């Protein structure tokens, strides 16, 4: 039977070849997407290991870390240029055996620094007054890839004398370079908790694999009616149910084997462009998008087995009695129990509100099954929704085409929904992705503070800053784009258990300075100084009135500076030149900050998530379109004889086209509404449980995207209608 099945699969005429190629293409796409998802998970872990050395000094050395006899002065800090983060580490060796960071063959001497390739290019192109002069010394070499989390990482390692390095902020002596991944380190501040990305990528894998499996099932059912009759005839001459089942899956097995091999090629073709998607905030190295032996074995065996299972289920009618196919009866209508998995999945997501686990790994374990159950529930409940919609349409039908389509869908809602099931899942995934990301971005915008908008700020802590007016003030005022420079002074005696001498706030400011910047607050009438806190005002809130401080402007000048505020026009040149002047003047102080620095992490992360969502949408919609086209074409092929008989009885070709169109459009529109509603509800439940947020309705771009997807689906259906004329000629009506 296996040999006969192979012959039917590869020598069954043009239809068999088309079916074989279609199934193989679907399997190849599924294998490629699953491999890409697994490789992305591995890339997150690789990126974390590359981050490990930057956490040196934050945790005790691991057993595998080499301990050196001579200590190394180590002072890490984060810097910025045009909102891009720069990882800066100032080092100084205390002896010949001081530890060396990865990516270097030696430590930089005083007045030298090593840079990443991207940093080298930036230093070569950026104006010196905006970047180069803030780093003491000169470049002596490049940092190797082993120390760089990403190809676009901006990293600089600067050498100093030990006495000079000891005065730098965060300076400490270390005898080993940290080698533990941030995901295994509770005190690390650089890197990612990979479990969160495993959750995202796991949902992505399910979102992409479900439509692929549906596509495989649809492709397997191409010309299913003719094959069922062939198998029924074989049953009548003595073939057993088991033998027929073997023949039914042999074709899928051949296609799965071919598709699996091609799928690995698809993965290697997509690996480089997928590595460039910065969904963690930075792109990956293509080599980090690698696969483990377990990944290869699981995918090489798992996806073909899933394809075989889907193919076996899609042709389950051939396992009935010998006359079961030829004596066709109306299948039993779907019952309301099909709604149970969908309701159970939504109930589980709702239950997680207030019961969310504390750890990222446990969150993956509870949220991922919930989303997968909801997706499975949509597929299982789709025929029931299709049946309900078709019966409502049949009651209101006023044209023959509408009545025929509604009655056919009511008799076989499973077949009608099967054509659009891939599109339904694509709409669900699109709704969840767009709604979740849009809400997170909207929440961030609402809670952003405006106190740094248009400012560069140099703070001094824990050591106090200078008194009086520092000489750099005139240099800052001379920078193009800078409109003002003023100071926050330390409030003497302020502490956690006692108010300041001049009020209850940690800083004091001259009312003359505050009057020039009413967006930061106001002084009481007649006061010369005010006690202020950080100028943290959420968007949409008015600036507060600050209490008066019992101090004169002359006495204010004698207090240490807590922060220098540089008002500018927001241009990159003004921000970066001001930042460079401040860093060069106060090398032992913490880095200056600008308004864009506060949002860079989340902005880059959200940009990556949006790009990842676009990948999901752009991948799932074409898969759904292919599934729709294959299903409609397969349905036409299976019903060409009944349609040809209808044409012989006088039914016009135009009416038949309306029947085919309505049979696809009705379930598509009915279940699309359900899928979008369930997608938005799932997003709301996830946001409330995971982040305590409320869903922000998607904007017009989301509805435009959905509309374009539905229009393209209609175009796919319309593209199959010309087949009716060729497939319903009088010669097809003869008995076979």
């Amino acid at each position: 039977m296996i040999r006969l099945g192979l012959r039917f699969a590869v020598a069954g005429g043009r239809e068999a070849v088309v079916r074989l190629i279609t199934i193989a293409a679907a399997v190849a796409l599924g294998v490629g997407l699953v491999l890409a998802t697994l490789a992305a998970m591995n890339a997150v872990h690789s990126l974390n290991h590359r981050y490990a050395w930057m956490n040196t000094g934050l945790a005790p050395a691991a057993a595998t870390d080499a301990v050196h006899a001579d200590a190394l002065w180590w002072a890490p800090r984060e810097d910025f240029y045009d909102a891009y983060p720069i990882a800066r580490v100032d080092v100084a060796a205390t002896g010949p055996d001081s530890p060396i960071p990865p990516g270097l063959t030696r430590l930089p001497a005083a007045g030298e620094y090593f840079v990443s390739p991207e940093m080298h290019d930036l230093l070569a192109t950026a104006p010196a007054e905006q970047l180069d002069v803030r780093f003491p010394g000169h470049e002596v070499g490049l940092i190797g890839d082993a120390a760089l989390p990403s190809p676009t990482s901006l990293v600089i390692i600067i050498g100093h004398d030990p006495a000079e390095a000891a005065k730098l902020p965060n300076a400490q002596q270390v005898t080993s370079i940290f080698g533990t991944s941030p995901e295994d380190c509770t005190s690390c501040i650089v890197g990612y908790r990979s479990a969160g990305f495993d959750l995202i990528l796991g949902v992505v894998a399910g979102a992409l694999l479900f439509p692929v499996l549906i596509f495989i099932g649809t492709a397997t059912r191409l010309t299913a009616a003719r094959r069922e009759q062939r198998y029924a005839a074989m049953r009548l001459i003595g073939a057993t149910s088991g033998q027929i089942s073997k023949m039914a899956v042999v074709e899928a097995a051949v296609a799965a084997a071919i598709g699996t091999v091609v799928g690995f090629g698809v993965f290697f073709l997509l690996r480089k462009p997928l590595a460039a998607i910065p969904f963690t905030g930075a792109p990956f190295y293509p080599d980090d998008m690698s696969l483990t032996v377990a990944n290869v074995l699981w995918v090489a065996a798992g996806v073909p087995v899933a394809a075989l299972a889907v193919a076996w289920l899609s042709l389950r009618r051939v396992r009935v009695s010998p006359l079961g196919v030829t004596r066709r009866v109306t299948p039993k209508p779907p019952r309301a129990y099909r709604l149970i998995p969908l309701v159970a999945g939504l109930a589980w997501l709702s239950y997680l509100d207030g019961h969310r686990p504390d750890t990222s790994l446990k969150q993956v374990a509870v949220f991922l099954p919930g989303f997968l159950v909801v997706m499975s529930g949509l597929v299982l409940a789709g025929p029931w929704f299709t049946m309900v919609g078709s019966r409502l349409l049949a009651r209101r039908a006023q044209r023959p085409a509408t009545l025929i389509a509604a009655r056919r869908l009511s008799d076989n809602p499973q077949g009608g929904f099967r054509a659009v099931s891939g599109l339904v899942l694509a709409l669900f995934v699109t709704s969840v992705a767009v709604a979740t990301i849009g809400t997170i971005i909207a929440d961030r915008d609402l809670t952003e503070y405006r106190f740094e908008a248009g400012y560069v700020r140099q703070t001094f802590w824990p050591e106090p800053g200078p008194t009086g007016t520092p000489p750099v003030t005139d240099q800052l005022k001379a920078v193009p784009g800078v409109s003002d420079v003023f100071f926050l002074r330390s409030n003497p005696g302020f502490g956690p258990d006692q108010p300041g001498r001049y009020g209850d706030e940690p800083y004091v400011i001259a009312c003359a300075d505050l009057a020039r910047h009413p967006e930061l607050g106001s002084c009481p009438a007649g006061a010369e100084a005010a006690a202020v806190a950080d100028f943290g005002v959420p968007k949409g809130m008015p600036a507060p009135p600050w209490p008066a401080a019992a101090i004169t402007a002359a006495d204010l000048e004698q207090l240490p500076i807590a922060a220098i505020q540089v008002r500018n026009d927001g241009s990159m040149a003004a921000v970066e030149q001001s930042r460079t002047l401040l860093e060069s003047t106060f090398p032992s102080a913490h880095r200056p900050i600008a308004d864009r620095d506060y949002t860079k992490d989340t902005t880059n992360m959200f940009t990556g998530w949006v790009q990842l969502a676009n990948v999901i949408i752009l991948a799932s919609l074409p898969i759904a379109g292919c599934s729709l086209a294959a299903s409609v074409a397969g349905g036409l092929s299976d019903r060409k004889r009944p349609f040809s008989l209808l044409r012989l009885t006088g039914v016009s070709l135009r009416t038949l086209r309306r029947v085919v169109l309505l049979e696809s459009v009705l379930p598509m529109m009915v279940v699309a509404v359900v899928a979008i509603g369930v997608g938005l509800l799932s997003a709301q439940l996830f946001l409330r449980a995971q982040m305590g947020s409320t869903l922000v309705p998607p904007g017009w771009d989301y509805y435009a995207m959905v509309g374009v997807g539905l229009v393209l689906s209609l175009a796919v259906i319309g593209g199959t209608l010309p087949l009716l004329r060729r497939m319903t000629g009088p010669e097809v009506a003869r008995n076979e």
Side-chain angles (χ1 to χ4, degrees):
M1 284 297 174
I2 294 178
R3 185 179 300 175
L4 184 59
L6 287 173
R7 186 169 183 177
F8 281 150
V10 300
R14 185 173 62 182
E15 290 180 349
V17 173
V18 171
R19 187 169 56 251
L20 183 68
I21 294 175
T22 304
I23 298 174
V27 174
L29 186 59
V31 169
L33 292 174
V34 172
L35 289 175
T37 304
L38 292 174
M41 292 181 180
N42 295 335
V44 173
H45 293 284
S46 297
L47 179 144
N48 264 342
H49 283 291
R50 294 175 185 271
Y51 269 124
W53 70 276
M54 296 185 184
N55 289 297
T56 294
L58 297 177
T64 56
D65 295 340
V67 179
H68 296 256
D70 297 319
L72 175 71
W73 278 105
W74 181 267
R77 69 169 76 179
E78 187 177 37
D79 207 338
F80 288 90
Y81 181 82
D82 192 22
Y84 290 97
I86 299 173
R88 171 178 172 174
V89 182
D90 295 85
V91 298
T94 61
D97 192 40
S98 294
I100 300 175
L104 299 182
T105 57
R106 68 174 180 88
L107 289 170
E112 298 179 343
Y113 56 74
F114 289 91
V115 295
S116 63
E118 192 77 5
M119 188 70 185
H120 169 82
D121 295 339
L122 181 60
L123 288 170
T125 56
E129 69 275 9
Q130 295 181 20
L131 182 63
D132 186 63
V133 298
R134 76 173 73 163
F135 305 124
H138 60 280
E139 180 183 327
V140 292
L142 298 179
I143 302 172
D145 292 347
L148 304 178
S150 167
T152 60
S153 296
L154 299 175
V155 182
I156 182 169
I157 301 177
I158 305 174
H160 295 270
D161 291 322
E164 181 183 43
K167 300 176 182 179
L168 297 174
N170 303 321
Q172 60 180 306
Q173 288 187 321
V174 299
T175 56
S176 64
I177 301 299
F178 198 55
T180 303
S181 173
E183 60 202 54
D184 301 321
C185 172
T186 57
S187 58
C188 293
I189 60 174
V190 179
Y192 302 99
R193 294 289 179 265
S194 58
F197 292 106
D198 289 347
L199 170 62
I200 297 171
L201 292 171
V203 174
V204 169
L208 294 176
L209 193 56
F210 264 67
V212 168
L213 293 177
I214 290 173
F215 184 22
I216 293 172
T218 301
T220 304
R221 288 193 57 83
L222 287 174
T223 67
R226 181 174 298 182
R227 282 185 290 160
E228 287 172 354
Q229 293 174 359
R230 178 192 303 158
Y231 292 145
M234 297 179 68
R235 291 290 307 278
L236 288 172
I237 62 175
T240 66
S241 176
Q243 290 173 324
I244 296 301
S245 295
K246 288 180 181 179
M247 293 184 58
V249 299
V250 161
E251 179 181 10
V254 174
I258 297 173
T260 300
V261 175
V262 176
F264 277 87
V266 171
F267 162 69
F268 286 107
L269 185 66
L270 294 177
R271 185 173 68 162
K272 188 171 182 179
L274 288 177
I277 299 175
F279 80 95
T280 63
F284 298 121
Y285 283 103
D287 289 343
D288 286 345
M289 294 277 291
S290 59
L291 300 170
T292 65
V293 174
N295 295 151
V296 173
L297 293 178
W298 274 107
V299 174
V303 175
V305 168
L308 290 177
V310 171
W312 185 69
L313 290 173
S314 65
L315 292 176
R316 61 188 179 276
R317 286 172 56 90
V318 305
R319 297 188 298 276
V320 299
S321 63
L323 296 179
V325 174
T326 56
R327 297 173 60 188
R328 296 180 182 273
V329 295
T330 301
K332 293 181 181 180
R335 302 297 178 87
Y337 73 83
R338 287 175 170 264
L339 298 174
I340 293 176
L342 179 60
V343 174
L346 293 174
W348 176 248
L349 293 177
S350 179
Y351 169 78
L352 293 176
D353 182 18
H355 300 85
R356 177 177 64 89
D358 295 332
T359 66
S360 298
L361 189 60
K362 292 180 180 179
Q363 291 167 15
V364 174
V366 297
F367 279 111
L368 180 57
F371 278 107
L372 295 181
V373 169
V374 171
M375 294 172 69
S376 302
L378 275 175
V379 175
L380 190 61
W384 186 85
F385 287 113
T386 301
M387 180 191 67
V388 172
S390 62
R391 289 180 177 178
L392 292 175
L393 182 64
R395 294 175 186 174
R396 293 169 172 76
Q398 297 181 353
R399 293 186 178 184
T402 306
L403 181 61
I404 294 172
R407 292 298 300 273
R408 284 186 59 85
L409 283 174
S410 180
D411 288 344
N412 186 18
Q414 292 92 337
F417 172 74
R418 189 182 301 118
V420 299
S421 53
L423 178 65
V424 167
L425 288 179
L427 289 175
F428 170 79
V429 172
T430 300
S431 301
V432 172
V434 172
T436 301
I437 294 173
T439 299
I440 294 173
I441 294 176
D443 285 351
R444 182 204 64 179
D445 290 341
L446 288 174
T447 56
E448 268 188 359
Y449 285 83
R450 69 171 186 229
F451 69 94
E452 286 295 325
Y455 290 93
V456 174
R457 188 185 202 195
Q458 174 68 67
T459 57
F460 299 91
W461 60 273
E463 298 297 327
T467 58
T469 301
V472 74
T473 304
D474 293 334
Q475 295 176 270
L476 289 169
K477 290 181 178 180
V479 173
V482 172
S483 57
D484 195 13
V485 179
F486 58 98
F487 310 101
L488 298 182
R489 307 279 178 169
S490 297
N491 193 342
F494 182 85
D497 300 323
Q498 59 180 340
R501 185 183 303 170
Y502 303 119
D504 295 336
E505 306 296 349
Y507 312 118
V508 287
I509 187 174
C511 287
D513 293 333
L514 201 56
R516 298 195 302 272
H517 305 283
E519 73 276 7
L520 302 179
S522 59
C523 275
E528 294 188 46
V532 299
D534 279 336
F535 297 123
V537 181
K539 288 184 177 179
M541 297 290 291
W546 299 108
I551 184 175
T552 65
D555 292 335
L556 189 67
E557 289 286 323
Q558 306 305 314
L559 296 176
I561 295 175
I564 301 175
Q565 297 277 133
V566 182
R567 185 72 163 116
N568 60 77
D569 58 7
S571 65
M572 185 191 73
V575 169
E576 299 307 332
Q577 190 169 346
S578 300
R579 194 200 306 266
T580 300
L581 276 172
L582 290 168
E583 285 197 36
S584 303
T585 305
F586 306 106
S588 298
H590 290 273
R591 65 171 177 84
I593 54 178
D595 56 326
R596 66 186 72 186
D597 299 345
Y598 280 98
T599 58
K600 62 88 189 175
D601 282 330
T602 51
T603 299
N604 291 342
M605 186 74 72
F606 290 144
T607 300
W609 288 0
V610 169
Q611 291 178 330
L612 186 63
N614 291 337
V615 169
I616 301 172
I617 295 168
L618 294 176
S620 58
L621 286 178
I623 296 171
C626 293
S627 179
L628 179 62
S631 181
V632 175
L636 291 177
S637 177
D638 291 343
R639 291 178 292 160
K640 58 184 179 182
R641 187 168 184 272
F643 278 174
S644 64
L645 290 174
L646 286 174
R647 287 193 64 186
L648 288 176
T649 60
V651 177
S652 66
L653 187 61
R654 183 177 182 181
T655 300
L656 292 180
R657 287 174 176 168
R658 287 179 178 174
V659 170
V660 174
L661 189 63
L662 287 171
E663 285 182 358
S664 299
V665 170
L666 177 63
M668 180 177 70
M669 300 305 296
V670 170
V671 189
V673 172
V674 175
I676 292 172
V678 171
L680 296 178
L681 177 59
S682 299
Q684 162 64 15
L685 295 175
F686 172 75
L687 289 165
R688 190 172 62 188
Q690 181 72 5
M691 304 175 183
S693 301
T694 301
L695 177 72
V696 175
W700 65 268
D701 51 344
Y702 162 75
Y703 297 102
M705 187 184 305
V706 171
V708 169
L710 295 177
V711 169
L712 292 177
S713 300
L714 293 176
V716 168
I717 298 171
T720 63
L721 296 181
L723 296 174
L724 268 176
R725 181 183 297 276
R726 188 176 62 199
M727 299 173 63
T728 58
E731 69 281 358
V732 182
R734 70 182 186 275
N735 289 323
E736 297 181 348

